[in-house]
Amino acid sequence: MSNFSRQMNLSSSLIRRLHRHRSLANSSSRAFTTTEGHRPTIVEKRSIDILHDPWFNKGTAFSMTERDRLDLRGLLPPNVMSSEQQIARFMSDLKILEVQARDGPLDPNALAKWRILNRLHDRNETMYYKVLIANIEEYAPIVYTPTVGLVCQNYSGLFRRPRGMYFSAADRGEMMSMVYNWPADQVDMIVVTDGSRILGLGDLGVQGIGISIGKLDLYVAAAGINPQRVLPIMIDVGTNNKKLLEDPLYMGLQEPRLEGEEYIAVVDEFMEAVFTRWPNVIVQFEDFQSKWAFKLLQRYRAKYRMFNDDVQGTAGVAIAGLLGAVRAQERPMIDFPKMKIVVAGAGSAGLGVLNAARKTMGRMLGDSETAFESARSQFWVVDAKGLITEERKNIDPEATPFARNIKEIGRQGLKEGASLVEVVRQVKPDVLLGLSAVGGLFSKEVLEALKESTSTRPAIFAMSNPTKNAECTPDDAFSVLGENVIYASGSPFRDVDFGNGHIGHSNQGNNMYLFPGIGLGTLLSGSRIISDGMLQAAAECLAAYMTEEEVLKGIIYPPISKIRDITKEVAAAVIKEAIEEDLAEGYRDMDIRDLQKLTQEEIVGYVEDNMWDPEYKTLVYKEN
């Protein structure tokens, strides 16, 4: 692994260099131009079969030549429309068809929009991704957080066309053969969940596959992963949700969740099956309850190309935001290990962030045991039972390193189980970080206590999803703490207009800034595993993406509208780190020796040239 000075050099020179690389990569001609998009595609379907295939269907965009060639003349209205005209027509229909479903505080028509987009996905996949990419800021919250939570809660009623695969406890002993039921010989990306902890909504059983589908939509839209090479997967090991167990319309196994070795055996069999058929696939674990999230991550990460987005992706996005907060406070980066951080929440996401932040601080302090011990002392962790100390009984092993010493906190006027407001009042933290899944946890009393922070510009990270689970809204934060607070959330919120020309920026610390780039960079590097260094490189890249002018305004995350450019940069950083750690093995025609010769600008170009774009291809029929 490269040394820490290279990993953590977020000086102004690095940031300028990143922006220079982006400019050069965008302006220079591509050295790796592909011609695949210009070649006709041979199909063995025609007539109505083509129109019923979402991958090949173009709707009214079929040219007259194609209509004659594919026996489509008369099956479509005579006017040949461009893809731009199709999108305009779809957008017009969308506005007309929206109903007052009152699904959420930000968009009352969210679920209605999801249904309409889903129907488009069913009939014309290329156009679906064109619409999604062109309107990513508006539709990312529809296909992903926060609307995906509503989708999962209502999935049994929304289910129409099957997507993805389902591996269940009833399939034990059959997974190695059933994996060949999926028609694609090449799968690059799998997102898998067991439905046990969907966002902050808890156990939703088999309905949790909506999470896997939504994440992979973003892999296609943000990272340019070919949609024919993605696979959403649900591992159904039962559910402990009483409502689902009693629901006659529930589509999953209506039995209690497997536990212990039985559970692990099912996941083991699944992992062996998918990596046997697709040895180079990348598997992203999503929304597993914390007791399994860490255990499965440690069990598989050294053997397979996999990562856990809740543990590692959330941690990376949070680290990038924390480093951005240091910059916004006009402090040198070396001050990060001095930041006092109160963390609300000790689930998989909270503990993932804690471990990543501790490692980052420790490396900045010298990468020694003493350094890591010093870093540990900067965190105060509060869960549902209050402040976690060494007196806590039955403590989660992952939380043990962050349990506070009783004598030490006694001098601060605190004790085991102290409330969040007491901890904030006594610690006076620089950062209040929420990963609790408890909406409104940062009450007015807690925010008032944060006024006593020793920082001139305290930061609030209300990271829990979906929207209703955010620990506080930007309106809450800015109304109590004033314009100078730095605010970030996991779900999207609107900026706060103070009416005097000043804006309170609502940053969205969304995992979609990182996981598409981590997956794409791993794929294009051919790395054998996903290392801590690769994850760290991704977080650094995101932290460096913002200009000094932006962070001083309190903008610590970029707009979602730039997601494809962000993903390209993150993927390039991951590839570069994989090469330097000697993990990369190359991808397709790009041999590792050729990959090693590329400059940073060329790596960015290489990434861009391997990102799929939703363009209609000329179709040519071939008889069997």
Side-chain angles (χ1 to χ4, degrees):
M1 186 180 297
S2 50
N3 63 40
F4 183 75
S5 62
R6 178 182 55 75
Q7 286 189 334
M8 286 307 301
N9 180 19
L10 285 172
S11 64
S12 59
S13 62
L14 171 63
I15 295 164
R16 286 195 299 271
R17 191 159 66 250
L18 175 64
H19 290 291
R20 179 172 61 84
H21 288 161
R22 186 181 309 127
S23 176
L24 286 169
N26 288 339
S27 62
S28 62
S29 61
R30 297 273 73 84
F32 308 98
T33 301
T34 61
T35 59
E36 182 180 351
H38 302 292
R39 296 173 184 165
T41 297
I42 307 299
V43 294
E44 296 178 351
K45 296 180 179 180
R46 58 183 174 182
S47 188
I48 203 74
D49 290 337
I50 283 282
L51 299 181
H52 288 169
D53 188 322
W55 179 247
F56 295 119
N57 183 29
K58 303 181 186 180
T60 54
F62 279 109
S63 69
M64 292 310 296
T65 301
E66 286 179 306
R67 294 182 192 205
D68 287 336
R69 183 188 297 137
L70 300 171
D71 294 344
L72 293 172
R73 187 180 287 269
L75 299 181
L76 294 164
N79 187 14
V80 176
M81 304 186 78
S82 68
S83 58
E84 289 75 19
Q85 287 175 304
Q86 286 183 308
I87 292 174
R89 191 180 72 217
F90 173 78
M91 296 298 289
S92 176
D93 287 345
L94 181 64
K95 302 305 178 187
I96 294 170
L97 293 170
E98 285 174 6
V99 295
Q100 296 301 309
R102 296 296 158 194
D103 296 319
L106 278 181
D107 190 343
N109 306 312
L111 205 54
K113 288 182 179 179
W114 182 90
R115 289 190 185 98
I116 296 166
L117 285 167
N118 196 54
R119 290 201 292 269
L120 174 62
H121 197 178
D122 286 346
R123 65 179 184 269
N124 188 332
E125 194 161 47
T126 301
M127 186 179 166
Y128 171 75
Y129 286 112
K130 272 184 173 290
V131 168
L132 183 55
I133 291 170
N135 303 274
I136 191 67
E137 210 155 9
E138 180 178 359
Y139 290 151
I142 302 299
V143 302
Y144 181 47
T145 299
T147 307
V148 71
L150 282 167
V151 171
C152 290
Q153 288 175 299
N154 296 279
Y155 199 75
S156 292
L158 295 169
F159 179 85
R160 296 292 181 272
R161 176 177 179 265
R163 295 192 193 283
M165 290 193 75
Y166 299 80
F167 292 80
S168 78
D171 298 316
R172 282 175 283 192
E174 302 292 335
M175 294 183 195
M176 191 62 77
S177 60
M178 65 186 281
V179 74
Y180 288 91
N181 291 342
W182 188 252
D185 290 328
Q186 178 66 48
V187 172
D188 293 333
M189 199 75 222
I190 286 172
V191 175
V192 61
T193 184
D194 70 349
S196 59
R197 190 202 60 81
I198 299 300
L199 300 174
L201 302 170
D203 183 351
L204 296 183
V206 76
Q207 299 181 158
I209 196 170
I211 279 286
S212 299
I213 293 168
K215 288 275 185 176
L216 286 169
D217 276 349
L218 292 183
Y219 265 111
V220 177
I225 302 292
N226 189 314
Q228 287 193 311
R229 295 180 179 177
V230 302
L231 175 54
I233 288 180
M234 174 74 208
I235 298 178
D236 184 0
V237 292
T239 178
N240 293 332
N241 185 321
K242 185 178 179 181
K243 182 179 178 182
L244 297 179
L245 289 171
E246 297 173 353
D247 184 354
L249 301 180
Y250 177 60
M251 298 184 295
L253 294 179
Q254 289 187 297
E255 53 191 51
R257 281 187 172 275
L258 292 183
E259 295 291 346
E261 292 303 316
E262 282 190 299
Y263 174 90
I264 291 175
V266 170
V267 185
D268 278 351
E269 185 179 348
F270 158 75
M271 290 293 278
E272 184 179 1
V274 296
F275 279 95
T276 296
R277 184 172 186 199
W278 302 296
N280 298 315
V281 73
I282 300 161
V283 176
Q284 175 177 315
F285 278 58
E286 192 70 36
D287 285 3
F288 284 69
Q289 57 187 315
S290 59
K291 71 176 181 179
W292 290 120
F294 286 101
K295 185 171 289 188
L296 296 176
L297 178 61
Q298 296 308 318
R299 187 176 183 85
Y300 301 130
R301 68 174 306 190
K303 182 179 180 181
Y304 299 118
R305 299 212 296 181
M306 61 80 64
F307 69 106
N308 185 299
D309 185 46
D310 302 297
V311 176
Q312 296 165 298
T314 301
V317 170
I319 294 300
L322 291 170
L323 294 172
V326 175
R327 293 175 64 196
Q329 292 168 354
E330 298 186 74
R331 298 165 65 179
M333 291 306 301
I334 197 64
D335 273 7
F336 178 51
K338 300 177 184 177
M339 294 184 82
K340 294 178 292 183
I341 303 175
V342 170
V343 180
S348 58
L351 292 170
V353 171
L354 281 164
N355 281 307
R358 181 191 180 198
K359 287 179 182 178
T360 301
M361 287 181 172
R363 287 170 182 162
M364 293 182 81
L365 293 171
D367 212 5
S368 65
E369 192 62 38
T370 303
F372 284 111
E373 181 61 27
S374 176
R376 183 192 68 82
S377 66
Q378 298 304 114
F379 300 95
W380 287 258
V381 186
V382 180
D383 67 2
K385 297 178 181 178
L387 180 65
I388 297 176
T389 73
E390 294 169 349
E391 283 191 347
R392 177 72 61 90
K393 295 179 181 178
N394 301 318
I395 190 171
D396 185 329
E398 295 292 332
T400 301
F402 302 98
R404 302 295 303 199
N405 178 277
I406 285 294
K407 289 184 179 179
E408 179 188 355
I409 65 168
R411 292 192 291 270
Q412 297 175 314
L414 296 171
K415 60 182 180 180
E416 161 65 33
S419 69
L420 178 62
V421 68
E422 290 174 316
V423 174
V424 172
R425 188 176 292 126
Q426 296 300 323
V427 173
K428 300 176 174 55
D430 301 290
V431 177
L432 180 56
L433 177 59
L435 289 153
S436 67
V438 179
L441 181 65
F442 297 167
S443 63
K444 184 175 181 180
E445 187 180 12
V446 170
L447 295 174
E448 288 281 359
L450 190 59
K451 281 184 174 181
E452 302 301 317
S453 169
T454 53
S455 173
T456 57
R457 198 174 192 185
I460 295 172
F461 289 76
M463 302 293 278
S464 292
N465 287 314
T467 310
K468 68 176 185 178
N469 287 353
E471 284 78 9
C472 72
T473 68
D475 288 308
D476 295 333
F478 288 112
S479 64
V480 173
L481 290 152
E483 299 180 18
N484 214 31
V485 69
I486 300 162
Y487 177 86
S489 60
S491 289
F493 286 98
R494 296 184 181 91
D495 290 342
V496 175
D497 188 344
F498 296 114
N500 55 2
H502 293 180
I503 298 294
H505 292 283
S506 176
N507 296 278
Q508 188 185 1
N510 197 310
N511 287 20
M512 72 180 288
Y513 285 125
L514 286 190
F515 71 77
I518 293 169
L520 181 61
T522 303
L523 176 70
L524 298 183
S525 69
S527 176
R528 299 184 295 275
I529 60 169
I530 300 174
S531 70
D532 285 339
M534 291 161 67
L535 296 165
Q536 182 76 27
E540 290 173 22
C541 181
L542 177 58
Y545 193 89
M546 308 307 300
T547 65
E548 290 297 322
E549 182 181 5
E550 287 169 326
V551 295
L552 291 178
K553 289 179 180 178
I555 304 172
I556 57 175
Y557 292 113
I560 297 295
S561 60
K562 294 183 178 180
I563 191 61
R564 276 179 81 93
D565 184 62
I566 296 162
T567 298
K568 179 178 63 178
E569 298 286 356
V570 169
V574 169
I575 292 170
K576 187 172 186 293
E577 181 65 24
I579 294 170
E580 294 188 9
E581 291 187 35
D582 199 27
L583 293 171
E585 296 184 350
Y587 175 73
R588 294 186 181 175
D589 297 333
M590 182 61 74
D591 184 85
I592 179 57
R593 289 167 294 185
D594 296 326
L595 201 57
Q596 290 169 334
K597 295 175 184 176
L598 299 183
T599 65
Q600 181 66 24
E601 289 84 0
E602 288 172 333
I603 292 176
V604 173
Y606 164 64
V607 171
E608 186 171 3
D609 289 333
N610 279 281
M611 293 172 74
W612 178 85
D613 286 307
E615 299 297 336
Y616 289 136
K617 295 183 179 180
T618 301
L619 303 183
V620 177
Y621 175 70
K622 177 185 177 182
E623 292 204 31
N624 292 327

